Every structure is written in structure tokens, then in C-alpha cells.
Amino acid sequence: MNTPVPETAATNLETEVLIIGGGVTGAGVMRDLALRGIHCVLIDKVDLCAGASGGNHGLLHSGARYVTTDLDAAIECRQESERLKRLAPQCIEDTGGLFVAVEGDDPGFAGRFAQLCGTAGIACDELTVAEARRLEPQLSDKLVKAYRVPDATVDPFHLALANVDHARSLNGSIYRSHTELLGFEVADGEIRAAQCRDSRSHKPLRIRARQFVNAGGAWAMKIARLAGCADVDLRYAKGTLLVHHERITRRVVNRLRPPGDGDILVPGGTVSLLGTSSTRVQDLEQVGPTVEEIDLIMREGSAMIPALAGARYTRAFSRVRPLLQGGGPASDRAASRGFALIDHRAQGLANFCTITGGKLTTFRLMAQKTADLVAARLGKREPGTTASVALPDAEAGRWTEPGAAPRHWVKLNDPSDLILCECEMVPQSAVDSIVASAPDGAAPAMSLEAISLRSRIGKGPCQGSFCGIRVASYLYDQGHFRDRAGLAALRDFFDERFKGQRLVTWGAQAAQMELAEALQCGLLGLDSLEAE
Amino acid sequence: MTMAQTAIPTINFKQAALDLLPPGANFGACLTCGLCSSGCPASGLENMDPRKFIRMAMLGMDEELSTTPWVWCCTLCKRCEYVCPMKIDVSKLVFLARGNWPSDRKPAGIVRSCKLTQLGASTSAMGMPPGDFVMMVDDILEEVHTTQPRFAQLRAPMDRHGAHFFINQNSREPMSEPEEMVPLWKILDRVGADWTYSSKGWAAENFCMFTGDEQAWREVIQRRVDAVNELGCEVWLNTECGHSYYSMWEGIERFGLDAHFRMESLITYYARWIREGKLPVDARWNTRGIKFTVQDPCMIVRKSHGDSIAEDMRFVVRTLVGEDNFVDMQPNRSANYCCGGGGGFLQAGMTDHRRAYGKRKFDQIAATGAAYVLTPCHNCHTQIDDLGHHYGGRYGVVHFWTLMCLSLGILGENERRYLGPDLLALIE
């Protein structure tokens, strides 16, 4: 967006702890520290969950997926998922999960699987094929084996928003989106300040802090190098997922075989996410799905659920998972999904640490370990409380759940509260609420992407082609956009949505795309915006 | 509320759409473009519209959809399906939702009309028994014989086996304005039609279809089919009534009934008889250039015959009132808007909603500047008449048969109740 950063943004910020990276881990560290009374600033060069946190299937692992490859990770998942179901139920749907084998799958795997689940303490009940198909009628008639496990789904956006919101309300900790880290000022074995800039206005910003946390996820190695640290060694695995615009199962459905491509279907509220693939990549910035990956995922997924072969997909996307470089086996699937907390003391820095690796399910534990280190370095000895303090409901996070906005709207039954997003039925009042809880320094000029991230806007079958225009118009009406700012914002928003649709353009979605093109190019002329 | 209401069961609409709609046109194919909603007069009533209906189904809001009274505001006119680029038929699911309401919670007027239809052999929604119908036809015919010497030989055959046409009759005429039956008899006489009424299954209207009760709908149609088969008529000729045609045409197909006859609309025959020279109507009577428009009944145009019958209707009207005196409503033919008299709305007891729905129709009529609306549909007729009174319109609503007899100079004195002073002045 071309709108300048508002006057409230200072060129200098001071805090006790600067956290770099607005994934769930960074958000979790922010809340954990705020609960200990420590003031933080959290920055992200894009916005919350812009990396792997927002680009996964939203599975809250029971741990069963990992029993055959990493028993410790499996146990950690079991413990953390049980805890999160208790402490953050608003972000979780306790769907339950199934592991299913179809004809041709290794029958020996099932026995090992059940036994190891027992060892890890993960409830795992064998079902007859008939029972499984009664629970999930879409399952293949070639099913040969089925187990029920306590998998669930979690909304990472809701989770991150609620963590940030809680931290902000606890002690005025600050979250700034679109704040890019350029470098560190290091003196006497300590980082003194971080040099940043606003990625939209390019206005420089210097953040002074006593402690610095690198929660950059896949970018953690690059961030560590900016501080001169060479001890973060990551490799990158690109994962690709498909979004089917209908929910076709009640439960998570996993393939009962060693972890592999296209082995999971996760319901996400009213949609379904089918994944994943795993491919080594070197570049972090230019990742996207390929036709081969999509074909592979659909083929593998439809072995479990045949309807997936003819389903309408609205989106495909890829994100990079940071995997910790260990020695050992070459397969990325086998690489540890555990996390690493690196204190960088050996690199000569006393107030910098890096937290990376891990997974969505264990984000709280990762945040707690990080906060323990940071608090200790600040001389604060009281333990963290995120293992027992429930995550409060946050206004900021209430619109991310599919179906939440229409339920609110129907209940309110106010015809003057116009629906802006018809696919997901998001009304004006939801947009008002989202703009009101914008990141620090971002209101009132929130981008359409930022509003989309905090709601279901742009995520239905139209992929933003109607709601984008309507929300932009509404923001013009409200005085948030002036002149051509809204048009540029629209173009950026559509570009972003288009990336995800490019490779799933067939059938009904192709008709949808033609309509989108007519609106975006024919009606609004966004394709010639710059030329004018 | 003093008495506990029967609960409305919850329908799984997404699944129902998969079961009822063809692949590629189920709710999952929706582009959310909103063509349906922007062209639906029921949009906004009860805070609903067709697109919201689809999206709420897709978002699993089955309880809300199962209980929304909007399903009684939607007139099942199928305009949404007509304009939909994916051809999604929302009305099928609205029909399902209607049928899902317990009888004691459905609009009482529609349920009562259906019950009456089911009661007797007449299948009359106004409960007129066969004997009364026969007697009324005889009485009126006798009156014509005595008061209109030109028509001393006029006939209205009853239960005549082997007649070519079986002609049905909307109950409104024999029940409350019996002299309105006469113009059609005169037309049939003029063209020399081989026709008969039936004392059984003669009535046109079918409110059972509007209750969403398929079993009741089927029973009514079965009785009518039996009546036509019994008389061995070749053509079941539907009078100037919209839903009677659709409910028979769709019902026979839907329930797989064994009908030994063709179904035709009177409009088709009006046009044919004019073309064949059997019905020598013209517009010479319209010396003052009185303007007319037509309301295309959804039931016989968009929902069954399509544009061909709309063209026939325009041919008839142009011939009858003069090329220059016909002003088409916009939009028209299959894209025409329902007036709000369909779907049982007139009997639903939701007067404010019905008139809000009809406001668009009123505006469309006003935009034509026509003094009269011609429509071969009783529900359109009643609704458009009511809209005129309510919104202060200055138009009249007339049947085709009235204007035809006027043109032929054979309209009896007590057959002119729908003519305004301007038309009456032309007769004098």
C-alpha cells in the first residue's frame, strides 16, 4: 500500500525483548514473556503466520503420525495437544482422527503403528472397516485397516492473533507487521539494537532491546547470520497443500503407512486441506506449487477418499518448513521435527537466541523454553505460566474460523450490517472489528491481505474477486483509502490470491477465474493500472 | 406463544443439493456471482437471498436454513436458476425445506387450500363439489341463453367422452364470478372447438404443490390425470392459469404418471386459432390507442414452455391491441420477474412481505406506462391488481378472453368487470 506510515510510528522503539518473526512461535514467546511481566516488541516483515505457521494444514497432532519415526516428538505432541485442547479450545476443533490403510498398503506397518502408539501413550483404537466407513462415508471401499486417534485441528491464525492480543493487553507489548530486519548493532558481545524498516513506506526504524529472540522459522538461519552467528544450520523442505472448498470429512484422515506424500486430509472448519508433499528447496522466497505435486497429492489423497479426484479445489499453496540439519539419514521426512533453541553463547553473543524447527502442535513448549532462557538472562527467575493459564478469547481472533462470521451475522439479524464477503459471509461489522484491532502502527491503513489474514475474506470459492472489491469500496467509504491507494491495494490482493489459484484452474474453478478476470481486468482495469 | 410448536427437523442441505441437483450444478459449483440474488424480488426479505441460501448450506448452517420463513417468500419462480451461469436450481431446495416444515407451522392458508383440494373429486382449492360446479355451469349457460339471444345455442359440454379438448377451470370463476366463464365459452364456440368440461378433476389450482408435500401434490395430479384419461380426450387444455399448467406438467413427469393425452396451454391455441383465421380478432376497436403490457407467468413461460409461448402471447396481444399499443415490460419472457403472486404467497398470510416482493413488479408496470396488464394467470392477476391498489397504480388487469370478446364485439354486459371506463367507453 502506498499510504505513509501514520505519525504515531516512532523512528526509535525501546523494549526489553525484541522478537523477530511473527509465526506462532514468536507470538507464543511474546505472550509467555508478557505473562512474566516482560515487555516485548514482536516484528514480522510481512504479517502474522506468513511462513510455515500459516501455510500448513492446521493439524493438532495427536503424535500418532510420528510414532514410527520419532517417538520423542510423538510423545511431545501428545502432551502439548492435550494441553492446548484444555487451554485454547477456541482455536481448536476436537475432530478426532483416523489412520486408514487401503489395498496395497504394507500390512506390517499397522501392527507396529498400534504398538508404538501404545508406547507413546496415544489412544489408538482399531475400527472395523465398516465402522470407519460409517464414521466417514467418503472413505474408499478399498479400505483394509483403520484406527482412531485423538487428532484435532487448530487454527494457526486464531492462535497467533490470540497470543499477540493477550500479550498486548497484559503489559502493552507491541506487535508491528511489515517491519523488516536489516541488521544488528553489536558491541561488546551484545546486540544493542536492531535496524529495521517499514517494508511498505521504507521508513527506517531502530529498535533497542536488552534481549533479542530470533523466531524466524525458515528464515532463522538468515537472521542469525545478520548477527554474525553461523551456528543455525537449517535445510528447507517445501510442502504443498491443496484446498478443497467443501468439508468432506468430520475427522482428520491419515494414511496408515510411513509418512509420505499426499497422506493426510484435514478438515478446516468448512473446507478441507489435502497434503502434503515434501521437496528440498534452496531458495526461501520463490516457492510455489508445481503441477506434478498437485497431481501427486490428488492421486494419493483419492486412494483414501475417492471423491478428492473430482473435487473442486480453490487453492494450492506451498510453504517452507525449516528442518534442523542433523547428520544421519538423507530423507527429509526422517529429519527431526523436534525444535532447537540455540543460545549463541559460543558465537560470542550473550543476549541473542534462536528458536526454530518444531511444529505447530509444540509451539507453546518451544515458546516456553525460549522465554525461560530470555527471562533468566534478564535475571527473572519466576517460571512461565502458559502451561496452566488459559488463552483468553480475543476479539482479534474471532473472525478467522470458517463459519464464525455468518453465525454472528445471522444471530445479529441486522439487515443494515451488509455482507461484504458473500462466499464466507463476512459482514461490515467484522471488518470494523478487524480494523479496530490492527497491528501497532498499522491502523487505519490496513491492507486487504491483512484483513484477509484476520478473517475468511478472500478464502471462499471466489478467492477475493467480489469481496476484494467490496471491502476496498467499504474502506474507501470509511476514509481508509484515498485516491488510487485502494486500487493498488486491490491489485496486490488479487495478485496474491491468483498465485494460489493458478494451478488449480479447471472445472468450476476455471469458470470462476474467467469471472474474476472479467472483474479485475475488464471492469476495474487493474492490469493497466501502472501504465496509466 | 401458549402452545408448544412442533419442531422443524434439520435438513442437511449440502447433501440434499448433491442428491437433488445434477453434477456440475450443485451448490459446490456456485461462483457466488450474485446474479441470482440481484434478480430475485425475495432478496432481502427475512434477511435472505438465493446466494445466501447456497452459501449457508455450504457453510453447514442447516438449522438456520431449515427454519427460515424465507422459504415461504421465495415463490419458486426459478429465475435464479435461469440466470445462473452454472444453472443451480435453488428452488428445489426451497421446495424441500417447505415440505420439511410440520403442517401446523406451514402458512395456514396454503395448507387449508391444499386440504380442500384433496377433499373432493373436483380437486378444487375452494372446495367446490362436482354437483355445484355442474349446476353453476348450467345456471350460467341458461342465463346466457335468455339474456344474450345471439348465444341462444351456446354450449358448455360436461363429461363428454371423446371430446378433443378437456378444458379445466379455475375455481375462482364458478365460485365467485361465474359470468367470467362465458367469454371463453364464446371463443370456443366461435372456433368450433370440440371440447368438454369434466365434473371430476376439473379444477385448475394446486396449492398442495406449494406446501412442499409431494404426496399430496401427486394425489391431486393423479385424480386429474384419471379424469382426463377417463373421458378419452386427446388434449388437456389449460385455462388462463399459470401454476395449474406447471403442477400438471411437472407432476406427471416427476411422479411418472400414465397420461394418455397431450398437455397444452390456451395461449398456444389462441395464437393458432388467430393464425388459422378461426378467431378473427383485430385491434380496430382500440381507437384511442390504449396501451397494454403483458405479465409473463413464470409457471408457463420460464418454468415450462420457455420463450416460445411468450412469443405466442405477444403475437396474440399485438393482434388484439395493435402493434403500437403494446409495450413490453422489462425484463420479459423467460427473464421476467415473478409478480409475487406465485408459490402460494397470496394464501401465505404474509401480506407485507408479498407486497414488498411485488414492488419491483409494480415499478416495472409503471415504467411501461400501460393502462392495462394482460396476463393468463389467476395468481398474477390477483397480485398485480392488489399491487396497483396498494401502491396507487392506475392500471387495470384483464384476462385475454375478455379482450378477445371485446374485439369480436361479443362481450356480454356482465362480463366486463375488469374493464375500466376507457375500455367501457369504446364499447358504448
Side-chain angles (χ1 to χ4, degrees):
Chain A
M1 191 173 318
N2 299 325
T3 317
V5 171
E7 290 306 310
T8 49
T11 46
N12 279 285
L13 265 179
E14 183 141 5
T15 181
E16 285 180 277
V17 182
L18 173 66
I19 305 156
I20 301 146
V24 279
T25 310
V29 173
M30 182 187 187
R31 171 174 180 248
D32 192 309
L33 289 171
L35 278 166
R36 301 180 205 226
I38 298 169
H39 186 269
C40 324
V41 170
L42 172 70
I43 60 171
D44 194 279
K45 70 173 174 175
V46 183
D47 203 345
L48 294 174
C49 299
S53 293
N56 58 76
H57 35 44
L59 173 66
L60 189 69
H61 275 283
S62 61
R65 177 77 282 168
Y66 297 125
V67 291
T68 55
T69 50
D70 187 341
L71 205 56
D72 291 338
I75 292 168
E76 222 165 70
C77 280
R78 171 179 64 76
Q79 291 166 338
E80 280 303 305
S81 67
E82 284 168 358
R83 199 168 269 142
L84 286 178
K85 284 178 188 175
R86 213 169 52 240
L87 299 175
Q90 71 273 35
C91 303
I92 289 164
E93 186 185 342
D94 202 353
T95 57
L98 299 178
F99 272 76
V100 298
V102 296
E103 286 171 11
D105 287 344
D106 171 18
F109 183 81
R112 281 205 309 286
F113 172 81
Q115 189 209 337
L116 285 165
C117 279
T119 311
I122 299 164
C124 174
D125 310 315
E126 180 160 10
L127 303 174
T128 65
V129 168
E131 279 171 333
R133 295 190 67 205
R134 191 175 46 74
L135 292 177
E136 296 296 348
Q138 294 285 348
L139 283 172
S140 166
D141 57 5
K142 296 194 167 60
L143 217 65
V144 292
K145 204 92 179 156
Y147 292 93
R148 180 160 48 193
V149 298
D151 280 344
T153 66
V154 57
D155 178 347
F157 296 99
H158 192 173
L159 199 58
L161 285 162
N163 272 272
V164 167
D165 205 60
H166 193 201
R168 286 166 82 179
S169 70
L170 281 166
N171 67 348
S173 286
I174 291 169
Y175 164 60
R176 291 186 59 99
S177 65
H178 300 94
T179 303
E180 191 178 355
L181 175 74
L182 300 174
F184 292 107
E185 294 171 20
V186 180
D188 307 325
E190 281 197 343
I191 301 176
R192 296 293 163 86
Q195 291 162 344
C196 310
R197 71 171 175 194
D198 187 297
S199 60
R200 294 166 301 184
S201 66
H202 303 299
K203 195 173 163 187
L205 173 72
R206 186 165 173 271
I207 304 173
R208 281 162 41 86
R210 295 172 63 197
Q211 292 287 324
F212 293 81
V213 176
N214 170 10
W219 287 265
M221 187 157 75
K222 291 190 171 182
I223 292 167
R225 284 182 183 160
L226 286 177
C229 296
D231 53 349
V232 177
D233 200 3
L234 297 177
R235 52 186 172 181
Y236 306 132
K238 180 183 73 164
T240 293
L241 284 151
L242 285 174
V243 184
H244 169 37
H245 80 143
E246 290 180 37
R247 179 173 184 155
I248 53 173
T249 61
R250 292 172 53 83
R251 295 163 188 78
V252 176
V253 180
N254 303 269
R255 187 82 170 264
L256 184 60
R257 67 178 187 192
D261 292 327
D263 62 2
I264 188 165
L265 179 83
V266 183
T270 53
V271 302
S272 305
L273 291 99
L274 179 63
T276 48
S277 61
S278 184
T279 321
R280 281 295 285 272
V281 287
Q282 304 300 325
D283 181 14
L284 273 177
E285 307 301 332
Q286 301 297 324
V287 294
T290 64
V291 172
E292 291 73 26
E293 286 169 343
I294 289 168
D295 287 348
L296 176 67
I297 291 169
M298 282 177 63
R299 191 168 63 242
E300 291 295 328
S302 56
M304 298 191 292
I305 295 163
L308 289 171
R312 177 177 172 188
Y313 296 93
T314 47
R315 202 166 174 75
F317 59 91
S318 303
R319 291 290 192 283
V320 172
R321 295 184 279 241
L323 296 174
L324 294 168
Q325 188 79 280
S331 163
D332 288 345
R333 294 270 180 206
S336 174
R337 296 285 164 110
F339 58 86
L341 174 63
I342 302 159
D343 68 9
H344 299 302
R345 194 167 289 280
Q347 301 282 308
L349 285 178
N351 67 342
F352 183 49
C353 66
T354 292
I355 176 78
T356 190
K359 42 194 150 299
L360 178 54
T361 304
T362 55
F363 90 98
R364 190 212 60 82
L365 181 65
M366 294 162 69
Q368 181 190 306
K369 300 273 188 207
T370 310
D372 283 347
L373 172 68
V374 171
R377 284 173 162 184
L378 289 170
K380 308 210 172 180
R381 295 287 160 198
E382 59 269 46
T385 54
T386 57
S388 56
V389 176
L391 184 67
D393 274 332
E395 175 70 16
R398 64 183 283 209
W399 306 110
T400 59
E401 183 204 334
R407 283 199 302 274
H408 156 86
W409 181 80
V410 166
K411 203 168 149 196
L412 218 63
N413 195 22
D414 173 7
S416 71
D417 188 12
L418 292 183
I419 295 270
L420 294 179
C421 163
E422 293 279 352
C423 296
E424 300 289 323
M425 301 185 74
V426 186
Q428 283 176 356
S429 57
V431 172
D432 292 340
S433 139
I434 289 163
V435 171
S437 51
D440 299 276
M446 272 183 98
S447 67
L448 294 172
E449 288 99 318
I451 292 170
S452 172
L453 183 151
R454 288 159 177 81
S455 67
R456 293 289 303 164
I457 285 171
K459 293 168 183 162
C462 95
Q463 287 289 298
S465 42
F466 288 101
C467 54
I469 297 170
R470 284 197 185 176
V471 174
S473 306
Y474 182 66
L475 294 178
Y476 269 115
D477 286 347
Q478 300 296 305
H480 297 319
F481 284 149
R482 271 196 301 269
D483 304 325
R484 282 156 53 118
L487 283 177
L490 262 179
R491 184 198 49 207
D492 295 348
F493 178 62
F494 290 145
D495 278 351
E496 188 56 36
R497 300 318 292 174
F498 178 66
K499 278 184 209 160
Q501 293 177 82
R502 218 164 45 87
L503 293 182
V504 292
T505 306
W506 66 81
Q509 202 58 24
Q512 188 84 63
M513 294 280 288
E514 284 210 40
L515 183 59
E517 186 186 12
L519 286 170
Q520 293 161 15
C521 303
L523 179 66
L524 294 174
L526 292 177
D527 52 335
S528 54
L529 191 59
E530 269 154 343
E532 274 171 22
Chain B
M1 197 122 338
T2 47
M3 280 194 315
Q5 286 186 313
T6 317
I8 302 174
T10 300
I11 294 174
N12 180 341
F13 281 95
K14 206 176 103 182
Q15 188 56 48
L18 280 175
D19 297 340
L20 291 173
L21 304 181
N26 60 52
F27 284 3
C30 173
L31 307 180
T32 68
C33 67
L35 279 176
C36 52
S37 307
S38 57
C40 169
S43 282
L45 297 176
E46 295 292 334
N47 219 2
M48 276 293 293
D49 60 50
R51 173 170 52 187
K52 288 193 174 71
F53 195 96
I54 293 176
R55 289 310 302 165
M56 285 170 75
M58 291 302 286
L59 296 171
M61 299 174 76
D62 291 328
E63 211 179 306
E64 290 84 351
L65 286 183
S66 298
T67 55
T68 177
W70 185 76
V71 296
W72 303 102
C73 301
C74 161
T75 58
L76 308 164
C77 82
K78 289 187 187 266
R79 192 177 192 277
C80 51
E81 180 197 13
Y82 179 75
V83 297
C84 173
M86 309 305 277
K87 290 281 165 272
I88 300 171
D89 186 357
V90 181
S91 77
K92 277 210 167 73
L93 280 297
V94 173
F95 178 84
L96 183 76
R98 283 187 174 203
N100 183 55
W101 281 48
S103 285
D104 61 336
R105 296 193 59 181
K106 289 177 183 175
I110 303 179
V111 172
R112 195 178 329 113
S113 293
C114 172
K115 286 236 168 76
L116 286 172
T117 312
Q118 286 177 291
L119 273 180
S122 297
T123 65
S124 158
M126 296 171 89
M128 187 180 221
D132 289 12
F133 176 56
V134 173
M135 204 188 304
M136 182 57 78
V137 170
D138 283 348
D139 286 356
I140 294 296
L141 192 62
E142 207 178 301
E143 197 183 303
V144 174
H145 289 165
T146 49
T147 59
Q148 302 188 43
R150 280 206 292 173
F151 290 99
Q153 301 302 315
L154 188 69
R155 296 176 62 242
M158 186 68 70
D159 294 329
R160 202 163 66 77
H161 278 264
H164 183 72
F165 295 114
F166 177 113
I167 296 187
N168 65 348
Q169 176 65 57
N170 191 294
S171 298
R172 187 165 103 193
E173 282 87 32
M175 283 294 280
S176 42
E177 44 189 44
E179 60 286 349
E180 281 294 318
M181 294 190 286
V182 180
L184 180 58
W185 299 348
K186 292 176 177 171
I187 291 167
L188 294 167
D189 179 62
R190 174 59 68 97
V191 301
D194 173 19
W195 72 284
T196 185
Y197 272 142
S198 166
S199 59
K200 288 188 289 185
W202 55 268
E205 57 287 351
N206 186 352
F207 286 85
C208 294
M209 178 172 73
F210 298 142
T211 64
D213 181 343
E214 290 205 82
Q215 193 48 43
W217 175 6
R218 183 193 172 122
E219 279 171 21
V220 170
I221 297 303
Q222 181 70 65
R223 272 192 238 172
R224 291 179 186 170
V225 168
D226 290 346
V228 188
N229 284 345
E230 215 174 288
L231 289 180
C233 298
E234 200 170 306
V235 175
W236 174 80
L237 190 60
N238 184 60
T239 186
E240 293 189 23
C241 179
H243 80 280
S244 57
Y245 185 87
Y246 179 80
S247 76
M248 187 85 158
W249 176 77
E250 167 71 13
I252 286 173
E253 170 74 22
R254 189 184 190 103
F255 307 122
L257 304 185
D258 193 14
H260 306 154
F261 51 87
R262 279 202 335 267
M263 283 169 279
E264 297 283 1
S265 168
L266 201 46
I267 292 297
T268 310
Y269 275 89
Y270 284 159
R272 181 193 282 194
W273 292 327
I274 294 172
R275 288 191 183 104
E276 290 173 352
K278 291 180 180 168
L279 197 57
V281 295
D282 58 46
R284 275 177 293 181
W285 60 271
N286 194 4
T287 49
R288 299 166 79 171
I290 297 169
K291 302 287 185 256
F292 291 79
T293 187
V294 293
Q295 163 68 4
D296 293 282
C298 311
M299 291 284 188
I300 60 171
V301 179
R302 180 167 53 247
K303 291 179 71 171
S304 40
H305 284 272
D307 282 347
S308 61
I309 200 162
E311 295 306 334
D312 275 349
M313 192 152 63
R314 278 156 184 75
F315 165 71
V316 173
V317 176
R318 286 195 169 102
T319 311
L320 203 49
V321 306
E323 184 72 37
D324 296 341
N325 300 318
F326 170 63
V327 188
D328 221 339
M329 218 184 292
Q330 300 297 337
N332 53 55
R333 297 173 171 85
S334 291
N336 169 61
Y337 279 57
C338 170
C339 61
F345 220 166
L346 283 161
Q347 273 71 19
M350 304 166 91
T351 309
D352 292 345
H353 282 53
R354 175 173 55 78
R355 287 177 175 156
Y357 183 118
K359 181 64 168 56
R360 284 212 209 186
K361 183 52 61 186
F362 176 79
D363 292 341
Q364 289 171 2
I365 294 168
T368 66
Y372 288 90
V373 181
L374 271 160
T375 183
C377 169
H378 278 60
N379 281 333
C380 293
H381 193 111
T382 308
Q383 165 76 348
I384 290 172
D385 199 48
D386 177 72
L387 292 174
H389 290 300
H390 181 71
Y391 290 114
R394 284 175 301 183
Y395 57 79
V397 190
V398 282
H399 297 295
F400 278 69
W401 55 55
T402 309
L403 223 50
M404 290 204 178
C405 288
L406 186 152
S407 168
L408 294 167
I410 55 173
L411 192 64
E413 277 187 32
N414 56 358
E415 295 154 20
R416 304 173 185 176
R417 68 160 58 208
Y418 293 108
L419 303 186
D422 49 354
L423 284 177
L424 289 172
L426 288 176
I427 301 177
E428 294 315 318

